[in-house]
Amino acid sequence: MTTADEWLGRLAALDREELAKLLTHRPDVLQEPWPRRLDVVAARLASAESVNEAVLGLSLPQVQVVGAVQLCHALGQRPTPVHEIARLLGTATATVESFVDEVAERALLWHDPDGVRLPDLLQKNNFSAEGLGQPVEDLLGEIGRSRAARLSHALGLPEGRQELLRFYRDGDRVRELFRTAPEPTRKLLRDMADGVPEAEGVLPFHTAEGWAFEHGFLFGTYYGSAAMPIEVSLALRGPDHQLPFTPDEPEYAVTHVGAESAEATSSAAALRLLDRVSAVLELAGAEPLPLLKDGTIGARLVKKVAKDTGATPAEIELAIDLAAQAGLLLADEPPTPRRGQKAPPPTLAPDPDLARPGPALLYRLLLTTWWEPAPPEYGTDVDALVRRLVVRLPARLEPGAAIADVDALTLLAAWHAPMLPVEDFAGHVRDALEVAELLGVVAHGAVTATGRALLADDGLVEVTDELVSRARTTALFGTDLTAIVPGSPDARLAASLDRVADREAQGTATSWRFSPASVRRAFDQGATAAELLDELGAIAAGELPQPLVYLINDVARRHGEAQVLDIASVVVGEPALLAELAAHRKLAKLGLRAVAPTVLTSTVDASGTLEALRSAGYAPTHHAADGTIVLPAREPAEPTVAIRDVGPDDRQPDPLDHAERLLAAPASGPALLRGQLARAMSDRYAGRLTPKQQQLCWQLEAGIPADVGYQAADGLARLVIAYPELDGDVLDVWSLGDRAYRRLELARIELG
């Protein structure tokens, strides 16, 4: 009987609550398409991928209990009595019972009245990682009959495998024989029993150490090494030897940072992240971000963007990474260059068809992208598992409380997930905690309302809406040409100020400073004085100060006093001004030459001439060859795609509802045989299926989704279906659009 078949019988014996508890611990079983019946649940539970994922979620004592059961199973104790597991672990039977029940709830053990059983995938016969080796039953299977007969004779036993097994599994008899060995042999065997189950090089039989091979305390392997059976190692360690067992969590100190303080910090972090992402999208929209050859963002670019936006490199790196994962930024592969030309680097640019979501929706998109990333094609997403630990463990404390030390959190996380395949576990914890702080999920080590909403998979919309609503929408303008936002600015306010001023400081308050260069930057992007004054007036907490109004009007008056044309290049202006430019020492590198009273030519292109004139304190404008002003960029086309907000259908399926549905359905059902669907549909079409229709039938039988039409009561509907099962004249299918199973009458299905 296979593991899946055996589990089918066990699943059928569970009640609704017991089955729901199993599905809660093994959520991968409920992945779409949802299992129709218990036989599908059993097959998924028995798969290697599902078992491995469940093992990664075991705590340290649960892993140790499973390890003890595996050892007992390898030593022939099948099923394993619970009291024997407790003896090996050196603890009370009741303690082991509780952990066995926890593991059995995950379908990783079978807890029967006569003992504990292991699923096939968890059985093992090599314990080198635990300092033990292989069971003697496996080692005896590798020697011939004559060698086994000599071993039985040396041990004074009747010939036969069972006699040898009974001898080695009797620790007292093994220790009694060990005392008759030569002293050098005893020393060698004691050293190996302490944790070296296999040693390179087989010792010769004519030496004193050859006694160990003659009496089966060591076995020669195919690779030329000497292996000690598990039974011998345990016997030499003594009857009181115990396996490691750590039933209690590591202790940790708790610090109280205050719920209000944590929420205020969370709000500031969330709004700062939104500001960074918006700034990155604006920069990438104006000029796509170049990528390295391996498709990653270079450190130099991250530092440059951070400097331009007043952010930290960590904030910019996170903003770019999340925006790309969420589909806000798309990678654009350059076309293949012609022969002899160098290929331009790939770039990241905003999706032109995607409408920019509002602040709260954008924040939810970034959060869920970080919390539930796309699974890797191969292997385990260790970062995703660690970040869930970093949030879940402190969330057990009351709001505003945190685990005082990162090292303590690391030890606690390692106790809860000792099987994660990672080398630098502490580094992963620190990285996850740092990103969680930047996202506002954790503040000062305490899990915020946002983090708790992620864990609960409920209330995220309400929490994020309230958090984003705390953003400041107005600024305080001073007569010293500064603007201060006490708190966190919203994205619109920050974008308006960034357009016309330079950031100076940020923290509990963010400040901007206006200068002729910053105001001129806004004019260079196509703004007018009236537009700037109206925009700043709309975000000002009071009246705009007179010095700022004077500055904007003064820069506007001078803006365009000289015109640079794209004729590599020509400077046009008043004769007096052009004479001044031609004589200016700092502009000598431009090679300015008067060709008319109002025209100068330059040996430098338009962009270089513009930069030089602005550096010298002038305010030129950029014009095209026909004299029209050149603006930085055109208005983008209207987006056609909007990001959908999370709704009730996006929540994880309720295990109780699924348990009730599964127990009400038949436990098993027929599988769709090859060609069966095509024959059924052939009857529907009077035996005349086209090649394309036959291909669709084969595609569905192979588990590949297909697009079909269905004549419903309200007309023809297009459905994408998969995983069909034939029930007479009805096809039971999974509808990808409805995310549910539907029963379709064969007579109403339109293929192709």
Side-chain angles (χ1 to χ4, degrees):
M1 180 181 291
T2 65
T3 303
D5 291 336
E6 185 165 356
W7 261 110
L8 179 57
R10 294 176 181 271
L11 291 174
L14 299 178
D15 60 26
R16 177 172 176 260
E17 285 69 25
E18 291 171 335
L19 180 57
K21 189 176 294 185
L22 189 154
L23 296 175
T24 301
H25 289 304
R26 302 284 290 272
D28 58 293
V29 174
L30 294 180
Q31 289 180 351
E32 297 181 4
W34 299 327
R36 281 188 176 93
R37 299 174 301 271
L38 290 178
D39 59 346
V40 181
V41 175
R44 293 185 181 184
L45 288 173
S47 67
E49 295 80 4
S50 181
V51 171
N52 291 337
E53 185 172 336
V55 168
L56 293 180
L58 294 179
S59 65
L60 181 57
Q62 292 169 345
V63 170
Q64 291 168 334
V65 166
V66 171
V69 177
Q70 289 173 325
L71 181 59
C72 291
H73 183 275
L75 297 178
Q77 300 182 32
R78 312 164 187 170
T80 304
V82 176
H83 66 82
E84 180 61 22
I85 305 172
R87 186 194 68 79
L88 269 177
L89 297 175
T91 188
T93 302
T95 302
V96 171
E97 283 273 9
S98 65
F99 286 110
V100 168
D101 290 341
E102 292 175 2
V103 179
E105 289 173 355
R106 292 161 170 79
L108 298 177
L109 288 178
W110 300 336
H111 196 181
D112 292 336
D114 56 345
V116 179
R117 300 177 185 270
L118 276 171
D120 292 346
L121 288 174
L122 287 181
Q123 297 172 14
K124 56 186 293 188
N125 60 359
N126 193 310
F127 296 82
S128 298
E130 293 84 355
L132 300 167
Q134 301 179 61
V136 72
E137 185 174 10
D138 292 350
L139 293 173
L140 288 173
E142 297 177 2
I143 65 176
R145 181 176 298 178
S146 60
R147 170 76 177 95
R150 290 198 303 271
L151 180 59
S152 298
H153 179 72
L155 298 176
L157 301 174
E159 290 188 17
R161 181 182 296 269
Q162 293 304 316
E163 292 293 333
L164 288 171
L165 290 177
R166 278 193 288 270
F167 170 80
Y168 285 108
R169 290 170 180 171
D170 188 337
D172 292 333
R173 295 175 69 184
V174 173
R175 284 187 290 271
E176 181 180 356
L177 179 61
F178 171 75
R179 286 191 284 270
T180 66
E183 177 56 30
T185 302
R186 291 202 300 271
K187 183 179 184 307
L188 169 68
L189 295 177
R190 278 194 295 266
D191 291 342
M192 292 187 66
D194 286 340
V196 186
E198 190 169 342
E200 295 296 330
V202 177
L203 299 172
F205 279 89
H206 64 272
T207 64
E209 287 78 3
W211 183 94
F213 292 93
E214 294 172 359
H215 294 81
F217 278 61
L218 295 178
F219 284 78
T221 68
Y222 175 80
Y223 300 100
S225 59
M228 176 177 285
I230 295 175
E231 292 83 349
V232 173
S233 297
L234 293 176
L236 298 187
R237 292 182 185 185
D240 299 328
H241 174 73
Q242 298 172 356
L243 298 178
F245 187 54
T246 315
D248 299 322
E249 280 187 348
E251 295 183 356
Y252 54 88
V254 176
T255 181
H256 296 273
V257 301
E260 291 186 3
S261 174
E263 293 306 320
T265 303
S266 171
S267 177
L271 296 171
R272 191 161 50 246
L273 174 68
L274 290 175
D275 182 27
R276 304 308 186 231
V277 172
S278 298
V280 166
L281 293 177
E282 292 294 340
L283 288 174
E287 183 178 356
L289 305 178
L291 298 174
L292 300 179
K293 291 182 179 179
D294 59 358
T296 61
I297 292 289
R300 293 178 61 183
L301 176 61
V302 170
K303 291 179 180 178
K304 181 182 182 301
V305 175
K307 182 179 179 181
D308 293 342
T309 59
T312 65
E315 291 173 341
I316 295 302
E317 191 170 0
L318 177 63
I320 295 175
D321 185 40
L322 290 180
Q325 289 187 48
L328 299 173
L329 290 175
L330 300 180
D332 180 27
E333 287 290 339
T336 304
R338 294 181 178 180
R339 187 173 183 179
Q341 292 182 340
K342 184 178 180 181
T347 57
L348 274 180
D351 184 354
D353 297 328
L354 187 65
R356 186 79 59 85
L361 177 55
L362 176 58
Y363 183 47
R364 285 192 288 276
L365 177 64
L366 299 173
L367 279 176
T368 53
T369 298
W370 175 74
W371 188 248
E372 297 176 352
E377 187 175 357
Y378 302 104
T380 302
D381 191 345
V382 174
D383 291 331
L385 296 176
V386 171
R387 73 181 57 137
R388 289 181 175 270
L389 283 173
V390 166
V391 177
R392 176 171 62 85
L393 296 177
R396 301 180 303 176
L397 306 174
E398 62 182 10
I403 297 175
D405 185 36
V406 177
D407 293 336
L409 176 60
T410 301
L411 292 175
L412 182 63
W415 186 90
H416 278 273
M419 298 300 290
L420 287 183
V422 58
E423 295 181 1
D424 184 14
F425 189 81
H428 279 72
V429 170
R430 286 192 300 270
D431 293 343
L433 193 59
E434 179 183 352
V435 175
E437 295 267 1
L438 293 176
L439 282 162
V441 174
V442 173
H444 308 302
V447 179
T448 63
T450 302
R452 296 177 188 275
L454 285 174
L455 287 169
D457 193 35
D458 190 19
L460 184 62
V461 173
E462 294 78 5
V463 170
T464 51
D465 282 346
E466 180 184 356
L467 185 146
V468 173
S469 68
R470 301 172 191 166
R472 299 284 184 175
T473 58
T474 60
L476 301 174
F477 289 83
T479 57
D480 59 347
L481 298 180
T482 60
I484 298 177
V485 179
S488 300
D490 73 351
R492 174 178 167 272
L493 176 60
S496 296
L497 291 173
D498 282 337
R499 182 187 183 194
V500 71
D502 297 317
R503 292 198 193 200
E504 284 196 326
Q506 65 183 51
T508 55
T510 308
S511 64
W512 281 262
R513 178 168 295 277
F514 297 88
S515 66
S518 68
V519 175
R520 186 180 63 226
R521 182 177 65 228
F523 284 121
D524 290 340
Q525 295 174 349
T528 64
E531 290 175 355
L532 288 182
L533 291 174
D534 289 343
E535 184 176 351
L536 295 178
I539 61 175
E543 293 291 331
L544 288 178
Q546 206 67 23
L548 178 58
V549 177
Y550 288 158
L551 174 64
I552 293 175
N553 288 327
D554 183 58
V555 174
R557 185 171 54 255
R558 296 190 60 198
H559 193 257
E561 61 185 356
Q563 303 175 7
V564 177
L565 279 67
D566 272 330
I567 310 179
S569 61
V570 173
V571 182
V572 179
E574 295 297 325
L577 176 62
L578 295 189
E580 179 183 335
L581 295 180
H584 203 296
R585 290 184 178 181
K586 291 185 177 180
L587 302 178
K589 61 183 179 181
L590 297 179
L592 297 176
R593 184 169 62 88
V595 295
T598 58
V599 180
L600 292 177
T601 61
S602 171
T603 59
V604 180
D605 60 14
S607 60
T609 302
L610 281 168
E611 182 179 355
L613 291 176
R614 287 168 180 167
S615 298
Y618 297 94
T621 53
H622 190 185
H623 291 251
D626 60 0
T628 58
I629 192 167
V630 177
L631 297 179
R634 294 182 178 180
E635 286 294 326
E638 284 294 325
T640 57
V641 180
I643 294 176
R644 187 177 62 86
D645 204 351
V646 293
D649 294 338
D650 298 303
R651 296 173 184 169
Q652 294 297 325
D654 186 356
L656 273 173
D657 293 342
H658 279 289
E660 185 174 2
R661 175 182 61 82
L662 289 165
L663 291 176
S668 59
L672 191 65
L673 302 178
R674 181 70 172 171
Q676 188 176 2
L677 179 59
R679 288 193 296 272
M681 292 305 298
S682 177
D683 296 338
R684 153 81 170 86
Y685 285 93
R688 297 176 182 175
L689 285 183
T690 66
K692 181 174 178 58
Q693 291 171 335
Q694 289 180 341
Q695 182 180 355
L696 282 174
C697 293
W698 297 336
Q699 182 177 326
L700 286 170
E701 290 173 346
I704 303 172
D707 185 356
V708 301
Y710 188 69
Q711 289 289 351
D714 54 350
L716 182 65
R718 302 303 304 181
L719 302 175
V720 180
I721 62 174
Y723 308 101
E725 284 192 354
L726 194 59
D727 183 11
D729 294 334
V730 175
L731 194 65
D732 189 81
V733 298
W734 174 261
S735 174
L736 276 68
D738 300 326
R739 299 179 62 206
Y741 286 104
R742 293 188 59 171
R743 293 177 64 81
L744 308 179
E745 296 181 23
L746 291 179
R748 297 188 178 187
I749 298 176
E750 300 286 347
L751 294 176

